[in-house]
Amino acid sequence: MAFGWRCTGVAWPGDVPQLGWSRGAERRVSTLAYGVGLGFRAVGERHCVGARGNVCPLGAVVSVRSTGARCPECARLDRAHSVAADTLLDDPRTYRVYLAWFGPGLVKVGITREERGAARLREQGAVVFSWLGRGPLMAARRTEEVLRAALGVPDRIPYARKRAVRGQLPGERERSAEVVELYGRAAELEGRGWPESLERLPLDVVDHGGIFGLDRAPRATRSVRELADGGFVAGELVAAAGPDLHLLVSGGEGGRGGVVVLDTRLITGWELAAVDPAAANDVRVPLIDIAGGGVQGGLF
């Protein structure tokens, strides 16, 4: 089955987001920049993106609202080799435990491979984070469990909540305060459930508000719910956080302007055609009011 270029989502290998693209065996990336127009139109149907670099053998059509864009079989295969599935118990690589802040009262604990650095934090849209420790996979997993049980720190936060608070962030000092306080409480658990094989790392708070563009962008009020054949999204990129692109749109003639959030996980699996954002500065797909919290329930 032949397709045109399909988006593979946003990656954060450094401090600048990139959109990935695939067409058969071809791969390319588009480096994104704030203040620059971005636009595309969905073509045809949305198809499964496959798993672990493999093309879906069925070329299955998938739900337009799914943030995974995989058919049930490919989703099972992808999760079977995921750290989150706890199937890689003998993984010899070193992992890091982190504390991530997404907004007031929204702090989580998580783990990532040490070799990935902070890419995982940027991919989740963590506005502030600090490393907590490093060690074997199972020690990192155990630390997650200890913090959940002893301190009530979740390892997942609904994405709707992250997005809803992103437009009302306090200043940098206030943003870091919750992470600093929680780090101190976590450090007190050494000798009281903290795995001996996990080395505690020093507090080092990192703030992503600047590289995400959130400190200078207007507040987003709506988000894309789904794409549809012929529907288009076009606007000026003013911010990005995790998989989300914040686009400033005029709304077209008689339309409603403002900043609209596009979760790029919703555009994976679609064939996309270019749209000139200067000529069509608008969003013609179903939208949701962010203030109402009615966005997709994808978790990180």
Side-chain angles (χ1 to χ4, degrees), residues 64-90:
V64 295
R65 296 190 185 182
S66 164
T67 53
R70 290 188 173 90
C71 68
E73 200 59 39
C74 287
R76 280 193 292 270
L77 176 60
D78 187 69
R79 184 163 179 79
H81 295 85
S82 167
V83 171
D86 282 338
T87 57
L88 305 176
L89 303 184
D90 58 347

Side-chain angles (χ1 to χ4, degrees), residues 190-213:
E190 285 192 281
R192 297 190 295 124
W194 183 291
E196 293 183 3
S197 55
L198 191 87
E199 172 194 355
R200 181 160 63 88
L201 295 173
L203 176 68
D204 183 17
V205 178
V206 177
D207 191 296
H208 287 149
I211 67 169
F212 286 166

Side-chain angles (χ1 to χ4, degrees), residues 243-254:
D244 284 354
L245 302 181
H246 292 221
L247 300 171
L248 179 62
V249 302
S250 66
E253 185 175 345

Side-chain angles (χ1 to χ4, degrees), residues 102 106 108 124 157-166 300:
F102 300 91
L106 298 182
K108 61 159 279 190
Q124 293 184 71
I157 294 176
Y159 211 84
R161 296 182 65 194
K162 298 180 187 178
R163 190 174 291 136
V165 302
R166 196 180 289 153
F300 272 119

Side-chain angles (χ1 to χ4, degrees), residues 134-145:
R134 64 185 296 274
L137 173 60
M138 296 314 294
R141 278 279 181 238
R142 174 61 181 159
T143 304
E144 279 189 313
E145 296 172 6

Side-chain angles (χ1 to χ4, degrees), residues 48-155:
C48 175
V49 296
R52 300 288 155 178
N54 299 304
V55 175
C56 175
L58 303 176
V61 175
V62 296
S63 167
V64 295
R65 296 190 185 182
S66 164
T67 53
R70 290 188 173 90
C71 68
E73 200 59 39
C74 287
R76 280 193 292 270
L77 176 60
D78 187 69
R79 184 163 179 79
H81 295 85
S82 167
V83 171
D86 282 338
T87 57
L88 305 176
L89 303 184
D90 58 347
D91 190 334
R93 295 172 294 189
T94 299
Y95 283 77
R96 288 200 172 202
V97 183
Y98 59 80
L99 298 172
W101 184 93
F102 300 91
L106 298 182
V107 185
K108 61 159 279 190
V109 59
I111 69 173
T112 185
R113 295 197 311 274
E114 186 168 67
E115 65 202 56
R116 295 203 66 208
R120 177 65 175 152
L121 282 303
R122 294 187 290 269
E123 290 168 359
Q124 293 184 71
V127 181
V128 177
F129 84 93
S130 177
W131 299 118
L132 182 60
R134 64 185 296 274
L137 173 60
M138 296 314 294
R141 278 279 181 238
R142 174 61 181 159
T143 304
E144 279 189 313
E145 296 172 6
V146 169
L147 265 62
R148 284 202 303 269
L151 304 181
V153 185
D155 64 345

